[in-house]
Amino acid sequence: MSQKKEVSRRSFLKAGAAGAFAIIGSTFLNSFTSAQKSVQTMDKHQLHADMKNQLHEGMKHGFIPSSEKTKGFQMAWNALTNFDYGKVSTLPDGRTMREYEITARETNVEISKGITFPGWTFNDTIPGPTIRCTEGDVIRVKFRNISGHPHSIHFHGIHPTNMDGLEAVLPGGEFVYEFEAKPAGMHVYHCHVAPLARHIHKGLYGNFIIDPIKPRAKATEFSMVMNGFDLDLDGENEVYTVNGYAFAYLQEPIKVKAGDLVRIYLSNMTEFDPINSFHLHANFFNYYATGADPEARPYFTDTIMQCQGERGILEIIFPAPGKYMFHAHQSEFAELGWMGFFVAE
């Protein structure tokens, strides 16, 4: 690693950018104040100095996330449970049509209290909306590009090649993607314009769920996208999140009911790192890779890894009331924002 990097993830860690494992099972002791300036406008040296000083101050008693429900925090909570089923109608042949509108634009997105990232977004959020339908539905997505860069939408799944999102939609342009949704499972969508690393890292991605015709068992459901943010654009992430906001579900744990089925639609859209991971404490879960058929034999584990674009479905039953931690099993990712709790009641 170059010694010239002013803002590396290791400098975040040295500054105490998490030490989050110190809070396991403990009570929050202090509030944490993070840098209050946009990464867009700050000088790198000042960004590093401010973050080091403020993160170090916050680490005196272990890392404590902000308790303020900021715009970015709310974005992450909305992403957790908002499923976009589109505008529904019935075609003459009896099939269901679902229509969606997605707009690409530049948007400053808050990724931690007071820290904004100059994102490229679908519908103003990172990740973009979670698109959901049923296998066999006809999907129609009206895509508008009002940004200053060419973009597209590439949907994972089976569809005609002219709907594959390889053709860039120029600034000010529009394109309508239309195809039959298949196969059933857990998929993703993202921009597919070169340079891919930049377009994906900047935030142009989201979950795409195709439910099987035979419904899965009733469950409390959540959508989670693992991602990272390179603040100084040096090709190395300094912040890791689920649904775009660091420690969102550590700040406010996700409430579930003990004994009930919980289903997580999980994907990895982290750029610059070959894999990301999910580890659940004090419990195991069934994992259906790429959202396999409900009758498929799941993988029973407490930890899974996903490469970029990989995804799957986790089904969890929390056996007893309590506080269950979850996080990336790369310690560095966990300490830089990718950590949370389920509270079973």
Side-chain angles (χ1 to χ4, degrees):
M1 180 183 297
S2 170
Q3 296 180 354
K4 295 182 180 180
K5 294 179 180 177
E6 292 89 351
V7 188
S8 72
R9 54 187 174 187
R10 284 169 179 77
S11 67
F12 265 51
L13 289 169
K14 289 177 182 177
F21 289 114
I23 71 163
I24 297 175
S26 68
T27 303
F28 289 170
L29 298 174
N30 280 323
S31 63
F32 167 66
T33 302
S34 50
Q36 300 295 310
K37 297 183 180 180
S38 168
V39 173
Q40 279 185 296
T41 58
M42 291 181 68
D43 175 82
K44 283 187 179 182
H45 295 281
Q46 178 157 0
L47 174 66
H48 178 53
D50 284 1
M51 285 239 167
K52 183 173 182 178
N53 291 337
Q54 295 187 51
L55 291 171
H56 182 70
E57 182 67 22
M59 276 302 297
K60 287 183 177 178
H61 301 288
F63 176 81
I64 307 301
S66 169
S67 60
E68 184 178 339
K69 294 184 178 180
T70 66
K71 184 178 180 179
F73 170 85
Q74 195 58 57
M75 178 188 72
W77 270 90
N78 291 343
L80 191 65
T81 55
N82 282 2
F83 299 96
D84 187 349
Y85 290 89
K87 180 182 177 181
V88 181
S89 61
T90 303
L91 296 170
D93 62 5
R95 291 184 298 169
T96 297
M97 164 76 81
R98 296 184 186 271
E99 299 180 75
Y100 306 82
E101 292 189 4
I102 294 181
T103 300
R105 58 164 59 89
E106 287 89 5
T107 310
N108 289 330
V109 176
E110 185 181 45
I111 63 172
S112 185
K113 183 183 175 184
I115 302 177
T116 60
F117 178 77
W120 295 351
T121 66
F122 289 135
N123 289 5
D124 296 317
T125 62
I126 300 176
T130 298
I131 297 175
R132 191 164 186 178
C133 60
T134 299
E135 186 173 24
D137 291 350
V138 176
I139 303 303
R140 179 180 292 164
V141 180
K142 182 179 180 180
F143 174 57
R144 293 190 304 149
N145 181 9
I146 61 173
S147 76
H149 304 271
H151 295 305
S152 70
I153 305 179
H154 165 63
F155 292 89
H156 285 220
I158 301 172
H159 45 249
T161 56
N162 63 342
M163 293 290 135
D164 202 35
L166 300 184
E167 299 292 332
V169 177
L170 298 179
E174 296 184 356
F175 186 83
V176 176
Y177 299 95
E178 186 171 324
F179 54 89
E180 181 180 322
K182 59 184 178 182
M186 171 62 195
H187 307 295
V188 293
Y189 66 92
H190 57 85
C191 182
H192 210 292
V193 174
L196 292 178
R198 187 179 187 201
H199 286 248
I200 292 176
H201 162 254
K202 293 282 276 184
L204 292 168
Y205 47 77
N207 279 348
F208 175 37
I209 301 167
I210 303 179
D211 291 319
I213 295 174
K214 177 183 178 182
R216 299 182 188 277
K218 184 178 179 180
T220 299
E221 296 187 325
F222 302 110
S223 177
M224 295 186 180
V225 179
M226 301 186 292
N227 54 6
F229 295 96
D230 174 15
L231 302 184
D232 60 358
L233 305 181
D234 66 348
E236 186 174 270
N237 295 313
E238 284 77 46
V239 175
Y240 294 87
T241 81
V242 168
N243 291 341
Y245 191 83
F247 296 116
Y249 314 118
L250 185 66
Q251 175 179 334
E252 184 172 319
I254 301 169
K255 293 182 179 179
V256 297
K257 289 185 177 181
D260 284 2
L261 181 63
V262 174
R263 181 175 296 117
I264 300 173
Y265 297 93
L266 180 74
S267 68
N268 175 31
M269 295 306 298
T270 310
E271 191 57 77
F272 307 130
D273 291 283
I275 61 169
N276 208 325
S277 59
F278 181 105
H279 169 56
L280 177 64
H281 281 220
N283 202 2
F284 265 49
F285 54 83
N286 284 322
Y287 181 66
Y288 297 86
T290 318
D293 184 272
E295 303 302 322
R297 182 178 179 180
Y299 174 38
F300 193 53
T301 183
D302 64 357
T303 305
I304 58 98
M305 295 186 299
Q306 293 181 341
C307 66
Q308 188 189 72
E310 193 172 355
R311 63 275 183 194
I313 297 175
L314 288 66
E315 292 193 341
I316 311 168
I317 295 177
F318 294 90
K323 196 172 182 180
Y324 298 79
M325 175 172 272
F326 65 97
H327 58 82
H329 217 297
Q330 295 98 315
S331 299
E332 194 171 46
F333 293 14
E335 292 177 347
L336 291 175
W338 183 164
M339 180 183 293
F341 280 101
F342 293 104
V343 172
E345 299 176 332

